[in-house]
Amino acid sequence: MKEYFVRDLKSNQEFISFFMVKSIEVRVGTNKKQYLDMNLSDATGEVNAKKWDLAEAELPALSAIKEGDIVKVKAQVSEWNGQTQLRVLKVRKSNETDNLEMEDFIKAAPEASEDMYAYIMARAEEIADDDFRKLATYLLEKNKARLMYYPAAAKNHHAEYGGLLWHVKRMLMSGIALSEIYDFLSKDLIVTGVIIHDIEKLTEIEANENGVSTGYSVKGQLLGHITQGVTLIDEVCKELGIPDEKAMILEHMVLSHHYEPDFGSPRRPMFPEAELLHYLDIMDARMYDMEEAISNLAPGAFSERVRTLDGRKIYRPSFMPYYPEREPEEE
């Protein structure tokens, strides 16, 4: 059984354990020597690992290790620029005699994919507008198989089995609640926008049936899910006979939901439901990252710096019962 998990690693610790390879590359350092750079993960998180000063004799075995493989490593835990890092002493690819359980290595959304999909489809079927309902249910039904396991990102927020469904479900829950507060908004438009806004991540990201991403597709790198999404909505709306203005409104929601050109949106939102969609998206991403940061902290402790939260350290108030009590980590 896997004994050490990412969340349990402490500075200066030496251990032996198994991890899934998220990325692996042989690089050349400033000293002109080759080293191995890996990102390793399990069900509790991800950590960077390096094996320094590779010998030529090591390269054939290392070249056989690919993204998605499970490896056994002997390593020492250190810290670099405020982040946990592993100094790998030995590494090998796992084999059948290791008797591993894949559940130890696959990070998954906290709800079953079938249940999340059922919730999202139920909200789509409640859409009163015939055109919006037709589009939302069509895209959900067409993409059901991949939605069951697809992550919402190659890295960062919701990069997990069923992560895209989890992201959409929580955005829907928030959007429906806010449409009751801001009652001048169209709930139909909000629900439809949430369901379609990231649908082309299914082709932007490459992922296997364990929900593990190996990176981005060629189209994903050249176009991105926003551009791909606009094209898809235009094509499907024509196929379903949805009026041009409605199609254009939905395309604008997809186009503008990242808000800034630097993040892929060439237009900012130009109507209220599009504005809300952006904030639903960023709020769920930030809350996911916040939850990840505090989930393994002892009360009264700070996290390491979180790159996706502007490099901030996140604090867990000692009186807040976010999670069952854990023993404070040793200094």
Side-chain angles (χ1 to χ4, degrees):
M1 290 182 62
K2 180 173 167 62
E3 183 176 357
Y4 293 94
F5 288 81
V6 170
R7 69 182 175 199
D8 301 320
L9 301 178
K10 297 178 176 64
S11 292
N12 302 316
Q13 180 182 35
E14 185 171 305
F15 68 94
I16 297 174
S17 192
F18 292 89
F19 297 94
M20 178 177 286
V21 177
K22 295 295 290 293
S23 67
I24 181 169
E25 183 179 2
V26 174
R27 296 182 174 181
V28 178
T30 55
N31 61 359
K32 308 302 181 184
K33 294 184 178 181
Q34 295 184 105
Y35 69 95
L36 184 68
D37 185 34
M38 297 184 290
N39 283 318
L40 304 176
S41 68
D42 58 30
T44 70
E46 186 171 333
V47 65
N48 181 253
K50 289 179 169 59
K51 190 175 193 302
W52 301 105
D53 299 340
L54 295 180
E56 287 295 326
E58 296 179 275
L59 296 178
L62 295 177
S63 66
I65 300 173
K66 308 297 181 185
E67 291 88 351
D69 287 343
I70 307 297
V71 292
K72 184 178 185 180
V73 300
K74 179 179 181 180
Q76 295 172 339
V77 184
S78 60
E79 190 172 294
W80 176 256
N81 286 339
Q83 298 290 322
T84 298
Q85 188 178 87
L86 303 184
R87 180 175 179 269
V88 175
L89 305 175
K90 294 181 180 180
V91 57
R92 71 161 172 83
K93 192 173 178 179
S94 66
N95 55 53
E96 291 183 1
T97 63
D98 291 319
N99 296 318
L100 301 174
E101 298 288 342
M102 284 304 295
E103 290 81 1
D104 289 338
F105 302 94
I106 298 173
K107 192 172 187 301
E111 296 183 11
S113 293
E114 292 78 6
D115 294 340
M116 293 187 289
Y117 180 87
Y119 174 88
I120 295 166
M121 178 59 83
R123 302 296 79 74
E125 291 172 342
E126 291 169 356
I127 296 172
D129 183 282
D130 290 341
D131 294 319
F132 293 158
R133 183 177 65 256
K134 191 189 308 182
L135 176 68
T137 55
Y138 173 88
L139 289 174
L140 288 172
E141 289 168 354
K142 182 178 180 181
N143 294 290
K144 181 178 181 179
R146 283 181 297 166
L147 284 168
M148 289 296 107
Y149 61 86
Y150 237 77
K155 296 180 180 179
N156 305 329
H157 77 88
H158 300 86
E160 59 192 4
Y161 183 92
L164 185 54
L165 286 175
W166 185 228
H167 181 46
V168 170
K169 180 187 176 182
R170 291 204 295 190
M171 284 179 64
L172 279 177
M173 295 172 72
S174 297
I176 290 168
L178 286 170
S179 71
E180 296 176 0
I181 298 170
Y182 304 105
D183 57 6
F184 69 96
L185 298 174
S186 165
K187 184 171 77 172
D188 284 354
L189 190 51
I190 292 168
V191 169
T192 307
V194 168
I195 289 171
I196 69 172
H197 84 286
D198 272 350
I199 195 67
E200 275 297 87
K201 285 193 172 182
L202 295 171
T203 56
E204 177 190 42
I205 298 167
E206 293 182 335
N208 61 31
E209 292 186 2
N210 290 324
V212 177
S213 171
T214 56
Y216 293 88
S217 66
V218 173
K219 183 179 283 189
Q221 293 180 71
L222 292 175
L223 301 178
H225 73 280
I226 289 178
T227 301
Q228 293 171 259
V230 171
T231 301
L232 175 69
I233 300 308
D234 183 66
E235 292 173 351
V236 174
C237 283
K238 284 183 171 64
E239 179 182 339
L240 298 179
I242 294 173
D244 289 346
E245 185 182 11
K246 284 184 174 179
M248 184 169 56
I249 288 297
L250 295 171
E251 290 164 26
H252 178 78
M253 294 182 79
V254 173
L255 188 73
S256 64
H257 80 269
H258 279 190
Y259 211 81
E260 299 286 355
D262 287 351
F263 298 110
S265 284
R267 291 286 185 273
R268 288 184 176 180
M270 293 183 182
F271 52 88
E273 290 82 359
E275 182 83 359
L276 182 62
L277 177 64
H278 163 69
Y279 287 108
L280 291 171
D281 187 39
I282 194 68
M283 179 177 67
D284 191 54
R286 292 290 175 88
M287 288 299 102
Y288 180 94
D289 290 339
M290 285 278 185
E291 183 179 15
E292 286 288 289
I294 67 168
S295 62
N296 297 308
L297 288 178
F302 283 94
S303 73
E304 296 177 345
R305 294 189 183 277
V306 182
R307 184 181 61 80
T308 54
L309 295 172
D310 309 312
R312 286 173 282 166
K313 291 183 176 182
I314 306 304
Y315 178 70
R316 175 179 172 175
S318 60
F319 56 85
M320 292 296 290
Y322 292 119
Y323 295 92
E325 293 298 322
R326 292 167 55 92
E327 291 296 322
E329 297 181 359
E330 296 180 3
E331 294 295 323

